[in-house]
Amino acid sequence: MKILLLSAILILIETLSVQAQNIRVLNGSSHEPVKNVALYNSQRNLATLTDTDGMANISNFGENDSIFFQHPSYEPIGFLRIELLGMTDVSLNKKIILIDEFVISATKSRENKKDVAYQVDVLESSQLMYNTGQTAADILLSSGNLVIQKSQGGGGSPILRGMEANRVLLVVDGVRLNNAIYRSGHLHNSITLDNSILDRVEVTYGPTSLIYGSDALGGVIHYYTMDPVFSQDSGRFNFQAQAFTGYSSANSGKVAHFNMNNGFKKIAFLSSVSYKDLGDIKMGKFKNHFYGDFGEINHYVGQINDRDVTLGNPDPYTQINTGYSQLDILQKIKYSPSKYFDWIFNLQYSTSSEIDRLDKLNDYNGENLKYAEYYYGPQNRLLTSFKSVIKKDNLLFTNMTSILAFQKIDEDRYTRKFDNQERMIQEEDVNVYSLNIDFFKLVNSKNRINYGIEVSHNLVGSDAFYENIVNLNTRLADTRYPDGGSTSWSYSAYGNYKWFINNKFVFSSGARYQLGQYNSEFLPDGMGTLLPYNNIKINNGALTGSLSMVYSPGNNWKISTIASTGFRNPNVDDYGKVRAKDNLVTVPNSDLKSEYSYNFELGISKTIEGYIQLNATGFYTLLTDAIVRTNYSLNGSDSLEYDGEMYKIITNSNASSAYIRGISMSVISDLNTNLSFRSTVNLTQGMNKSENVPLGHIPPIFGRTSVKYKMKNNITEMYVDYNGWKEIEDMSPFEEDNDEEATIHGWPGWYTINVRTTFEISELFHLQLAVENIFDAFYKPFASGVASHGRNFIITIRANIN
């Protein structure tokens, strides 16, 4: 009887353990949880995925099942179900060279990177967590394939293949950020995204107008924020929290972040808040003395007895007026009523302090500085979106994703000249409404289709006035954009077909049509007094397409070719702006048309499994009707009085043609499970063929080389960033490359040596240490108004609660 009772108890315990057993999947070397590991049986009729904690419930698997663990970045492994009964953890070994990495942004659907012809860089959550960049622009530098321009401390304008600003498309969680006033010069809106809550970033290089429409000429930077995580067990509440705080010495920067996940079986909530307080940037002191005080900040403007005075900077290597602060808030709610539906509500809000324009505040007018004040008012960005995902296969689609979004953007500019009591205030408000519906149809194992529609509507309001700083009296001023308001509508539809011909060839083709409508009004007693017309109406239709082929001849070779077209509709900033810079003033142009690009690229990749991967991509892009700055006359005059001064007139016009060509190369080598090596180099050239002058925004040769060593509780990386010379004769004559901020010979070359390390103190705490620019080199990134930081000590403490 006792034996029967004991047997019954043992059977009950075993049964309960089978019913409730969870397995945690860990990285074999770092012992970090691995999410999105697929667990399935040999018949593939049972499957599950690990969550962000690496946890998976295997209760549904039968006692005699074999369970296989698979992830693109790790070697697969399998166990008998009975072998897992006494186990709590499973360790996976990372692949030496990753061949099966997936990408999403290229077609808006998940696919294997080896089947994609485009050059795509992926920054995964593990890389982002240990990235020392302080903004969503800075973190992109770790790719080694793009350049970041900065006009001020609170700035960051990505340059992809010689294209910048409104020729590069920014996307967050499937919502395009580019709006009707994204400018063509240098654009710093990427810093309004919170880099602390990002789960993934994908950078796709080259024209991708087929999938994304207007503006995607240089490429697409797609930011993916974290999603709420459900509980995999209906009886278990999934609570997770992450927090970190950090300090950087070069700008006395303080950052703090906290996020919290509350997950139930069908509904989950993710809340996040981040704050950064970054001080004035201290530049490097080791410089070529041939250039004297180049880059140093010798003076700044203060007030004595309510009068502006030029004061000496006690430390010319400290860039006064480069500090700022920023607050970011995110709230997501995810609800899945069944396995076929996901609904996600997404709220993002970002606001900053005033952000000074250092590149303006260091301009001189005689012995005094030209401006006493030049800054952006608090930059405010609000985004709300509702995303619906249907995952039930039918005749029309396998997956359907729709995103309805609203954005509100406030951009204000404040300028006051030295010893002038009147401050000019220009206020820009943009409301953006958008709808995207994207379909994916898996026809069969060899054929798949992506198609969709997009509608967007922009409302732009622009006001300006002078305010007396003494008596607060106001009077009207010239607005930056049409003072009667501007509206835009965009309608587009696309389709893309992918054919897996055999195990060697993957063919893809598609087309997109987009119609853009713009309308701007100039008030008769305002901007209309400057112009020979009172409104601008632009209607542009554009048909673009793409053909690509991926050839995998064997032995881990990959050869890809792309022939594609791209376009960009001129926006309000292109055709309707009045803006003074240096000795030039830009005025509206009612005859502006869309610019087009015709792109051809060839990519070659060779992987020697277990040793090294070599990649090279060459491209040639022909721009027709390229929107560039040209000399202009208004009412028979080539000069215009603006804000009390005379300026030479220029405008944005369509040049007949321009070209950009270049090559990007990389070497990746995971020498063993602990040691890895990566190096990139990029060379780009561009020419405005109409004017026979260099094209603006073309960076010099640049790249990054890094060596990373991983141990059980430690990751250490040493890396070198390098940038060649940009000679003055290779720069645009229309000041797009900020030659007034360079030396008389152009932009000097530079390199920095940096090291960072991470220690796992416990399962709860991680400590990160870094020293950037170890040798305190002085340098200015290409076309930047602010010098980069000198030697910078960084410390960050992270906590994870699960």
Side-chain angles (χ1 to χ4, degrees):
M1 184 68 182
K2 292 181 179 180
I3 295 175
L4 290 175
L5 180 61
L6 181 59
S7 300
I9 293 172
L10 290 175
I11 292 172
L12 178 62
I13 292 173
E14 182 177 353
T15 302
L16 289 174
S17 67
V18 168
Q19 290 177 345
Q21 185 179 3
N22 289 312
I23 285 290
R24 183 172 62 167
V25 181
L26 303 175
N27 182 306
S29 58
S30 69
H31 297 278
E32 295 177 343
V34 182
K35 66 178 182 178
N36 292 327
V37 177
L39 283 69
Y40 57 89
N41 62 1
S42 54
Q43 293 81 24
R44 294 181 181 263
N45 58 357
L46 290 175
T48 187
L49 287 174
T50 58
D51 61 18
T52 54
D53 297 327
M55 301 295 296
N57 189 318
I58 61 173
S59 303
N60 291 332
F61 291 91
E63 291 184 23
N64 299 318
D65 274 341
S66 295
I67 302 179
F68 300 94
F69 295 72
Q70 186 170 355
H71 188 282
S73 301
Y74 294 83
E75 299 290 350
I77 194 172
F79 295 91
L80 292 174
R81 172 71 172 83
I82 195 170
E83 292 180 304
L84 295 173
L85 288 178
M87 298 172 59
T88 57
D89 297 336
V90 169
S91 296
L92 298 184
N93 294 321
K94 200 155 189 177
K95 290 182 179 179
I96 298 297
I97 292 291
L98 301 182
I99 305 174
D100 302 326
E101 188 177 27
F102 74 89
V103 295
I104 303 171
S105 58
T107 60
K108 293 189 178 179
S109 61
R110 180 175 173 136
E111 56 186 337
N112 200 309
K113 190 175 180 180
K114 70 181 179 62
D115 299 326
V116 176
Y118 287 95
Q119 179 189 354
V120 183
D121 282 329
V122 180
L123 303 180
E124 296 181 336
S125 57
S126 58
Q127 297 169 274
L128 295 170
M129 182 179 296
Y130 302 117
N131 195 306
T132 53
Q134 293 180 321
T135 70
D138 291 338
I139 62 173
L140 302 175
L141 291 171
S142 63
S143 71
N145 289 319
L146 55 79
V147 170
I148 300 295
Q149 184 275 347
K150 290 190 176 185
S151 299
Q152 63 269 345
S157 183
I159 304 176
L160 275 65
R161 291 191 176 180
M163 297 193 193
E164 187 182 1
N166 56 20
R167 286 176 174 163
V168 172
L169 182 63
L170 303 180
V171 182
V172 60
D173 293 333
V175 179
R176 58 185 292 133
L177 296 181
N178 294 42
N179 58 54
I181 65 169
Y182 263 37
R183 54 190 178 271
S184 58
H186 307 294
L187 191 74
H188 307 284
N189 294 64
S190 59
I191 72 164
T192 64
L193 299 170
D194 181 11
N195 56 295
S196 302
I197 196 64
L198 293 175
D199 181 62
R200 182 182 183 88
V201 182
E202 293 188 11
V203 183
T204 305
Y205 298 86
T208 48
S209 292
L210 167 64
I211 301 298
Y212 289 96
S214 180
D215 301 356
L217 294 180
V220 176
I221 301 173
H222 199 146
Y223 296 93
Y224 298 88
T225 61
M226 296 179 186
D227 275 339
V229 180
F230 296 121
S231 171
Q232 291 199 355
D233 187 342
S234 58
R236 176 173 172 256
F237 173 65
N238 183 11
F239 174 80
Q240 304 173 34
Q242 296 176 333
F244 73 81
T245 184
Y247 177 80
S248 58
S249 64
N251 59 359
S252 300
K254 297 169 282 292
V255 297
H257 168 78
F258 175 78
N259 72 71
M260 177 177 60
N261 182 90
N262 295 290
F264 300 89
K265 186 66 175 178
K266 292 188 176 182
I267 191 169
F269 305 84
L270 176 66
S271 305
S272 168
V273 60
S274 300
Y275 181 75
K276 62 186 70 171
D277 182 9
L278 310 179
D280 291 333
I281 300 170
K282 299 175 183 177
M283 68 182 76
K285 295 182 179 180
F286 184 76
K287 62 190 296 189
N288 188 334
H289 295 289
F290 176 76
Y291 294 111
D293 61 357
F294 165 60
E296 297 175 19
I297 305 300
N298 294 305
H299 301 94
Y300 67 99
V301 174
Q303 283 206 328
I304 298 178
N305 298 325
D306 295 327
R307 293 291 304 272
D308 292 330
V309 293
T310 298
L311 301 174
N313 184 1
D315 180 9
Y317 293 96
T318 297
Q319 299 173 96
I320 295 177
N321 300 314
T322 53
Y324 75 104
S325 61
Q326 183 170 315
L327 173 68
D328 294 284
I329 298 172
L330 178 142
Q331 178 65 56
K332 277 187 173 183
I333 304 173
K334 184 175 182 179
Y335 176 59
S336 293
S338 75
K339 64 180 180 179
Y340 300 116
F341 297 93
D342 287 332
W343 297 335
I344 301 177
F345 172 75
N346 188 353
L347 170 68
Q348 300 176 20
Y349 178 71
S350 176
T351 185
S352 71
S353 65
E354 297 171 351
I355 299 179
D356 291 298
R357 280 284 300 269
L358 181 66
D359 61 334
K360 294 296 184 180
L361 292 173
N362 63 9
D363 290 346
Y364 284 83
N365 184 15
E367 295 183 354
N368 291 311
L369 291 164
K370 183 176 181 178
Y371 290 99
E373 301 175 4
Y374 205 119
Y375 60 90
Y376 294 111
Q379 294 191 83
N380 301 316
R381 181 184 67 89
L382 170 68
L383 181 149
T384 60
S385 70
F386 177 77
K387 178 179 179 180
S388 173
V389 181
I390 301 176
K391 300 171 285 187
K392 192 169 185 178
D393 191 28
N394 56 59
L395 183 63
L396 295 178
F397 59 84
T398 303
N399 292 323
M400 184 188 83
T401 303
S402 59
I403 303 176
L404 180 65
F406 169 74
Q407 298 177 74
K408 182 175 178 60
I409 301 99
D410 299 325
E411 290 189 6
D412 303 332
R413 292 170 176 80
Y414 296 76
T415 60
R416 185 173 65 84
K417 293 182 177 177
F418 185 87
D419 211 20
N420 189 325
Q421 292 185 347
E422 285 194 318
R423 174 191 296 128
M424 176 190 272
I425 301 174
Q426 295 177 310
E427 300 175 332
E428 282 35 271
D429 297 302
V430 184
N431 292 338
V432 184
Y433 305 84
S434 62
L435 172 65
N436 293 77
I437 305 178
D438 298 293
F439 303 89
F440 167 69
K441 177 60 180 176
L442 182 62
V443 180
N444 52 47
S445 61
K446 290 183 176 293
N447 299 273
R448 58 186 61 179
I449 300 171
N450 295 84
Y451 62 101
I453 61 173
E454 179 183 35
V455 179
S456 67
H457 178 46
N458 283 234
L459 297 172
V460 181
S462 187
D463 297 299
F465 58 93
Y466 288 102
E467 179 185 59
N468 190 293
I469 63 173
V470 177
N471 55 33
L472 303 183
N473 290 336
T474 62
R475 63 183 179 92
L476 292 177
D478 292 326
T479 57
R480 180 179 177 89
Y481 300 116
D483 47 5
S486 302
T487 62
S488 73
W489 283 95
S490 175
Y491 315 89
S492 61
Y494 75 92
N496 184 65
Y497 168 67
K498 178 164 282 190
W499 178 24
F500 293 81
I501 302 172
N502 52 42
N503 61 357
K504 292 186 176 182
F505 289 95
V506 180
F507 171 78
S508 181
S509 67
R512 183 188 189 101
Y513 182 78
Q514 180 162 331
L515 176 65
Q517 299 175 330
Y518 291 84
N519 181 55
S520 295
E521 301 290 334
F522 300 95
L523 298 179
D525 57 347
M527 289 182 69
T529 59
L530 300 174
L531 306 170
Y533 43 81
N534 291 323
N535 65 69
I536 294 178
K537 291 186 177 182
I538 294 178
N539 291 277
N540 286 321
L543 177 65
T544 56
S546 174
L547 292 171
S548 69
M549 179 72 77
V550 176
Y551 174 49
S552 303
N555 295 321
N556 291 325
W557 280 94
K558 173 186 173 181
I559 302 172
S560 57
T561 60
I562 303 174
S564 62
T565 60
F567 77 99
R568 189 177 72 83
N569 275 328
N571 63 17
V572 177
D573 186 87
D574 293 311
Y575 70 74
K577 176 173 62 180
V578 176
R579 175 227 190 191
K581 181 181 179 182
D582 303 318
N583 299 315
L584 305 174
V585 61
T586 303
V587 299
N589 182 359
S590 59
D591 298 321
L592 213 53
K593 301 180 295 184
S594 296
E595 58 181 351
Y596 288 84
S597 71
Y598 301 87
N599 182 69
F600 176 79
E601 62 183 87
L602 174 66
I604 301 176
S605 175
K606 169 62 176 176
T607 300
I608 302 174
E609 201 158 356
Y611 181 57
I612 196 169
Q613 185 181 86
L614 306 172
N615 304 286
T617 301
F619 66 91
Y620 182 91
T621 300
L622 176 66
L623 294 168
T624 62
D625 291 326
I627 298 175
V628 297
R629 296 175 186 173
T630 58
N631 296 321
Y632 194 66
S633 295
L634 196 62
N635 298 322
S637 174
D638 64 355
S639 300
L640 176 70
E641 183 177 349
Y642 179 81
D643 195 23
E645 292 187 27
M646 292 297 297
Y647 293 90
K648 180 178 174 62
I649 298 175
I650 61 172
T651 194
N652 288 319
S653 297
N654 294 104
S656 60
S657 66
Y659 72 80
I660 301 175
R661 62 190 180 191
I663 187 170
S664 176
M665 296 179 289
S666 67
V667 178
I668 303 170
S669 179
D670 288 346
L671 303 175
N672 54 48
T673 56
N674 300 106
L675 187 64
S676 61
F677 171 84
R678 186 174 188 269
S679 183
T680 68
V681 64
N682 299 267
L683 176 63
T684 313
Q685 297 176 334
M687 181 67 68
N688 179 342
K689 297 173 68 175
S690 302
E691 303 280 342
N692 196 31
V693 296
L695 199 62
H697 308 286
I698 306 297
I701 188 172
F702 69 94
R704 168 180 281 209
T705 296
S706 69
V707 177
K708 183 182 294 185
Y709 186 75
K710 296 181 181 180
M711 294 186 291
K712 180 178 179 180
N713 298 315
N714 171 252
I715 301 174
T716 299
E717 180 183 17
M718 177 172 284
Y719 61 96
V720 181
D721 289 322
Y722 36 87
N723 206 105
W725 261 92
K726 179 75 172 183
E727 305 288 349
I728 194 72
E729 59 267 21
D730 296 326
M731 292 162 57
S732 167
F734 298 105
E735 301 181 352
E736 295 160 299
D737 296 332
N738 287 347
D739 52 294
E740 74 281 357
E741 296 290 339
T743 72
I744 58 173
H745 302 293
W747 292 96
W750 53 267
Y751 69 91
T752 63
I753 299 176
N754 319 266
V755 64
R756 56 191 176 196
T757 187
T758 300
F759 297 94
E760 182 182 345
I761 301 174
S762 67
E763 289 189 2
L764 181 62
F765 292 105
H766 287 72
L767 174 66
Q768 296 174 240
L769 302 172
V771 184
E772 297 179 332
N773 195 357
I774 293 174
F775 295 108
D776 204 30
F778 167 84
Y779 69 100
K780 270 189 173 185
F782 167 66
S784 294
V786 58
S788 194
H789 60 74
R791 187 181 297 111
N792 187 25
F793 296 94
I794 301 173
I795 180 171
T796 304
I797 300 175
R798 294 182 178 272
N800 298 290
I801 303 173
N802 297 315

